[in-house]
């Protein structure tokens, strides 16, 4: 197994001079060197072959002992030095100070076909930033992250990727619901992949300590390697750097809203400077359409990270990043202008996104009202978002009276739809049909375009939980089945219709099928 190693982060940025693996505050450094914990009996459960090819691995490499050893943390790839990143962050709106990679250990960077990839292991042991944790991860959370990372990629959502899922062969103690009932679970390790794992919090750490030298070093490094079109370091390039991050973050959130994904823990340390979905913890997919839903049990009271609030939280987080970068610019107005543009651009892009979900190619003044009335209808009774939009594409312009029948499968309790609710829906379908009359697309052309943005298959939490339950009984077949399903989320896949279904009633309140905790 040969990789084209091309390390930059830990060769161009300062390391902590303390090389011990002890919990501590790390100053004047972007990272601390630390080796993964050697697992007792690593076992490869699944690998993303397409991603492996993208980083320069061959098919035979994936079956090798070297692959198993390196990506389980058993051995260190030659001439590399693993490390954990130092960063800070705001968690649930409050300043948390130094955080850092508490469960992630960065192995190395690879350059392949002019693309740079950073690879890190999650769940490979403690680091200086582990605080009270053990740095390990369990199978249930690792499986969910592995499947969802790749599922999001194939949905077209900007995301970190996942190369491999392994069992460590060790037991890990976890209190899943934080209710005092801790138990041992199967330990697991995921290899995560992204061009870089730099977060908003990396900049916040240096800014909070008034370490302007390293703040500038980190910013210059990030621009040089990931935003090279911005040119040489200067006040103007720092402003444009923030603008680029803002736009990428906005695009990411628009994609989340499009497919009904709720991140669940949008802390600033979980925000990528490349606008990638990062840190899959207590995430979830909308079952019933609900702006107020959050998948995170820790967030259940305030619902800070609820579905409808994700665009606002992204903006709040960008304000914190602007504050961190301010010392390099020393002027607030450029940041304020960009943040104000975010609000305007969100309205424009959100409207465009919703038009695409409805198969509308042209722009008309009544579109915003049509969308608002649709959202009102979707909230009248529990309505599955994914199924609704997928089924809606089958509507014929001249048959708007059939609208309710066409989307009937999306209603959790179709028999409970009252006459008044039915009238509201029929009114909306009538307006929608009239709006479609202004389009040039045929019904079939519109269906194709709608089905290209409205997925048929998403990783519903109950689906992941079924795979987890099977895996805990050493049946790993569902991991492969779901992985293959989610590689083609927009295809009909008639052989997989069983997964195109509402959440079963048994899963409504089952642990892992609706809300999740931050527990690993």
């Amino acid at each position: 197994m040969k990789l084209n190693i091309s390390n930059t982060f830990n060769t161009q940025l300062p390391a902590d001079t303390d090389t011990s693996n002890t919990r501590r505050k790390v100053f004047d450094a972007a990272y601390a060197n630390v080796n993964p914990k050697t697992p007792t009996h690593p076992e490869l459960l699944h690998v993303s072959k397409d991603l492996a090819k993208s980083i320069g691995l061959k098919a035979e490499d994936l079956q090798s002992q070297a692959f198993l050893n390196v990506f389980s943390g058993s051995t260190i790839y030659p001439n590399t030095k693993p490390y954990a990143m130092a960063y800070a962050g705001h968690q649930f709106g409050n300043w948390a100070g130094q955080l850092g990679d508490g469960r992630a250990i960065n192995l190395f960077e690879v350059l392949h076909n002019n693309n740079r990839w950073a690879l890190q292991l999650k769940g490979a042991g403690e680091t200086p930033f582990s605080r009270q944790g053990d740095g390990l991860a369990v199978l249930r959370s690792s499986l969910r992250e592995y499947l969802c990372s790749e599922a999001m990629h194939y949905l077209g959502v900007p995301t970190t990727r996942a190369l491999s899922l392994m069992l460590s062969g060790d037991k890990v103690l976890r209190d899943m619901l934080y209710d005092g009932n801790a138990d041992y679970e199967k330990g697991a390790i995921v290899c995560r992949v992204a061009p870089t794992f730099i977060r908003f919090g990396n900049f916040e750490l240096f800014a909070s300590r008034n370490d302007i030298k390293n703040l500038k070093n980190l910013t210059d490094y990030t621009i040089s390697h990931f935003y090279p079109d911005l040119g040489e370091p200067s006040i103007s390039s720092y402003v444009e750097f923030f603008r680029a991050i803002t736009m990428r973050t906005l695009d990411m959130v628009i994609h989340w809203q499009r497919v009904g994904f709720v991140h669940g823990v949008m802390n600033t340390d979980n925000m990528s400077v490349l606008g990638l979905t990062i840190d899959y913890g207590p995430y979830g997919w909308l079952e019933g359409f609900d702006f107020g839903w959050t998948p995170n049990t820790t967030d259940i009271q305030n619902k800070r990270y609820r579905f409808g609030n994700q665009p606002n939280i992204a903006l709040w987080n960008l304000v914190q990043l602007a504050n961190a970068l301010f010392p390099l610019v020393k002027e607030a107005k450029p940041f304020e202008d960009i943040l104000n543009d975010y609000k305007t651009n969100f309205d424009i892009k959100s409207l465009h996104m919703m038009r695409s979900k409805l198969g509308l190619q042209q722009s008309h003044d009544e579109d915003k009202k049509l969308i608002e009335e649709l959202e009102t209808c979707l909230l009248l009774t529990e309505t599955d978002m994914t199924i609704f939009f997928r089924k809606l594409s089958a509507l014929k312009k001249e048959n708007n009276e059939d609208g309710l029948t066409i989307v009937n499968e999306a209603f959790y309790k179709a028999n409970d739809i009252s006459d008044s609710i039915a009238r509201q829906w029929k009114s909306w379908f009538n307006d929608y049909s009239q709006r479609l009359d202004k389009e040039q697309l045929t019904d079939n052309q519109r269906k194709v375009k709608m089905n290209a943005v409205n997925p048929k298959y998403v990783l519903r939490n109950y689906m992941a939980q079924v795979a987890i339950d099977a895996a805990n009984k050493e049946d790993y077949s569902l991991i492969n089945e779901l992985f293959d399903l989610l590689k083609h989320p927009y295809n009909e896949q008639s052989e997989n219709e069983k997964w195109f279904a509402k959440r079963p009633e048994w899963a409504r309140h089952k642990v892992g099928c609706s809300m999740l905790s931050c527990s690993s």
Side-chain angles (χ1 to χ4, degrees):
M1 184 178 75
K2 185 173 177 57
L3 291 164
N4 183 28
I5 302 298
S6 176
N7 290 324
T8 59
F9 188 90
N10 65 338
T11 60
Q12 298 178 18
L13 293 170
D16 184 20
T17 55
D18 186 344
T19 58
S20 66
N21 191 0
T22 56
R23 313 295 201 279
R24 62 183 182 273
K25 295 288 186 180
V26 172
F27 293 92
D28 304 316
Y31 64 94
N33 289 115
V34 59
N35 288 337
K37 177 183 178 181
T38 302
T40 300
H41 186 68
E43 177 185 354
L44 178 63
L45 295 186
H46 207 275
V47 63
S48 175
K49 295 177 182 178
D50 289 346
L51 178 56
K53 185 178 180 180
S54 296
I55 65 174
L57 288 170
K58 301 175 182 178
E60 55 266 31
D61 291 330
L62 308 183
Q63 306 300 320
S64 68
Q65 188 65 40
F67 181 89
L68 180 71
N69 289 344
V70 169
F71 295 108
S72 68
S74 299
T75 61
I76 306 303
Y77 194 86
N79 302 314
T80 63
K81 294 183 68 175
Y83 61 93
M85 284 186 178
Y87 48 82
H90 285 81
Q91 298 192 324
F92 297 94
N94 300 306
W95 177 244
Q98 176 184 291
L99 297 166
D101 285 332
R103 281 191 294 137
I105 297 177
N106 302 270
L107 297 179
F108 43 71
E109 296 169 50
V110 170
L111 196 60
H112 185 67
N113 290 338
N114 295 318
N115 291 315
R116 178 170 298 281
W117 300 102
L119 287 82
Q120 67 173 212
L121 300 182
K122 182 176 180 181
E126 63 185 3
T127 77
F129 308 105
S130 295
R131 292 174 287 172
Q132 289 78 40
D134 55 18
L136 302 175
V138 295
L139 178 58
R140 57 182 163 83
S141 62
S142 301
L143 189 156
R144 293 178 74 255
E145 173 152 11
Y146 175 75
L147 286 178
C148 197
S149 298
E150 291 300 279
M152 292 282 272
H153 168 72
Y154 291 109
L155 280 166
V157 180
T159 181
T160 56
R161 303 285 300 277
L163 173 65
S164 59
L165 171 65
M166 297 196 185
L167 290 175
S168 65
D170 299 304
K171 294 293 185 180
V172 177
L173 185 65
R174 285 293 181 270
D175 183 355
M176 182 169 63
L177 298 179
Y178 305 130
D179 60 1
N181 293 311
D183 200 0
Y184 283 96
E185 303 181 45
K186 290 183 178 182
I189 302 162
V190 173
C191 178
R192 308 198 292 188
V193 181
T196 183
F197 287 93
I198 297 174
R199 305 130 185 279
F200 290 13
N202 293 75
F203 300 88
E204 286 186 286
L205 178 64
F206 292 136
S208 68
R209 294 171 173 173
N210 200 31
D211 185 351
I212 308 305
K213 175 184 175 182
N214 279 317
L215 175 64
K216 184 178 186 304
N217 287 341
L218 176 64
T219 307
D220 292 350
Y221 164 85
T222 308
I223 291 174
S224 173
H225 288 285
F226 305 106
Y227 293 93
D229 55 306
L230 299 183
E232 296 298 315
S234 66
I235 289 178
S236 62
S237 67
Y238 297 146
V239 171
E240 292 309 308
F241 174 56
F242 179 71
R243 188 190 309 277
I245 295 173
T246 299
M247 293 308 298
R248 289 196 186 193
T249 301
L250 172 57
D251 287 341
M252 175 188 71
V253 173
I254 290 289
H255 276 293
W256 290 358
Q257 305 302 101
R258 173 177 65 85
V259 299
F261 175 80
V262 190
H263 186 279
V265 59
M266 290 177 67
N267 297 328
T268 57
D269 57 296
N270 292 339
M271 298 292 292
S272 160
V273 293
L274 297 184
L276 304 175
T277 314
I278 194 171
D279 286 343
Y280 289 90
Y283 68 80
W285 298 86
L286 285 188
E287 305 282 357
F289 184 83
D290 181 0
F291 287 118
W293 186 72
T294 174
N296 190 347
T297 55
T298 308
D299 194 33
I300 189 62
Q301 183 173 359
N302 297 317
K303 295 189 176 183
R304 176 180 175 84
Y305 298 139
R306 63 192 181 275
F307 175 63
N309 205 35
Q310 291 185 134
N312 297 326
I313 292 298
L315 177 59
W316 192 93
N317 289 341
L318 285 162
V319 171
Q320 312 317 310
L321 178 61
N323 290 336
L325 294 175
F326 175 80
L328 302 181
V329 177
K330 297 180 180 178
E331 187 180 356
K333 189 175 187 305
F335 294 112
E336 292 170 350
D337 290 344
I338 293 168
L339 292 167
N340 285 330
D341 286 344
Y342 173 99
K343 301 172 187 176
T344 302
N345 288 328
F346 174 78
D347 289 340
I348 294 171
K349 292 196 172 194
S350 180
L351 181 58
H352 177 76
M353 178 270 288
M354 288 301 297
R355 280 196 184 106
S356 72
K357 288 181 73 66
L358 292 173
L360 306 178
Q361 302 297 298
Q362 301 175 22
S363 175
H364 287 272
D365 292 341
E366 70 267 26
D367 291 349
K368 186 175 181 180
K369 183 172 183 289
L370 180 73
I371 291 165
E372 290 173 347
E373 289 177 347
L374 169 61
E375 291 169 346
T376 297
C377 287
L378 288 170
L379 294 169
L380 292 174
T381 184
E382 192 174 15
T383 310
D384 187 279
M385 175 178 173
T386 301
I387 295 176
F388 174 83
F389 281 104
R390 189 71 181 192
K391 288 290 187 180
L392 184 64
S393 67
L395 183 75
K396 305 295 184 183
K397 283 190 287 189
E398 66 277 9
N399 292 329
N400 67 79
E401 290 294 325
D402 294 335
L404 270 179
T405 301
I406 288 170
V407 301
N408 183 69
E409 193 178 329
F411 299 123
Y412 274 80
K413 295 181 179 179
N415 294 333
D416 291 348
I417 294 180
S418 65
D419 289 343
S420 62
I421 290 176
R423 282 194 297 271
Q424 282 185 259
W425 268 115
K426 288 179 180 179
S427 174
W428 183 83
F429 277 113
N430 182 63
D431 292 342
Y432 180 46
S433 181
Q434 291 181 23
R435 175 62 182 83
L436 290 178
D437 285 336
K438 299 178 181 180
E439 295 287 321
Q440 301 301 313
L441 297 178
T442 65
D443 287 330
N444 285 337
Q445 289 173 330
R446 172 170 47 84
K447 182 175 183 178
V448 169
K449 288 187 175 293
M450 289 177 70
N451 286 353
V453 297
N454 294 317
K456 182 171 182 178
Y457 303 101
V458 296
L459 184 63
R460 299 170 184 268
N461 279 358
Y462 89 87
M463 294 164 61
Q465 189 60 45
V466 169
I468 291 166
D469 291 343
N472 282 328
K473 297 175 183 176
E474 300 184 5
D475 175 3
Y476 307 116
S477 60
L478 274 176
I479 299 175
N480 190 63
E481 180 177 340
L482 291 177
F483 188 90
D484 288 345
L485 171 83
L486 297 166
K487 281 183 70 174
H488 308 284
Y490 299 101
N491 293 0
E492 286 299 323
Q493 300 190 60
S494 57
E495 71 279 12
N496 288 313
E497 282 289 327
K498 67 178 181 180
W499 297 118
F500 182 56
K502 298 184 290 291
R503 175 184 60 201
E505 195 59 32
W506 60 260
R508 182 178 292 273
H509 301 296
K510 179 179 170 63
V511 174
C513 294
S514 179
M515 299 190 71
L516 300 147
S517 73
C518 291
S519 165
S520 69

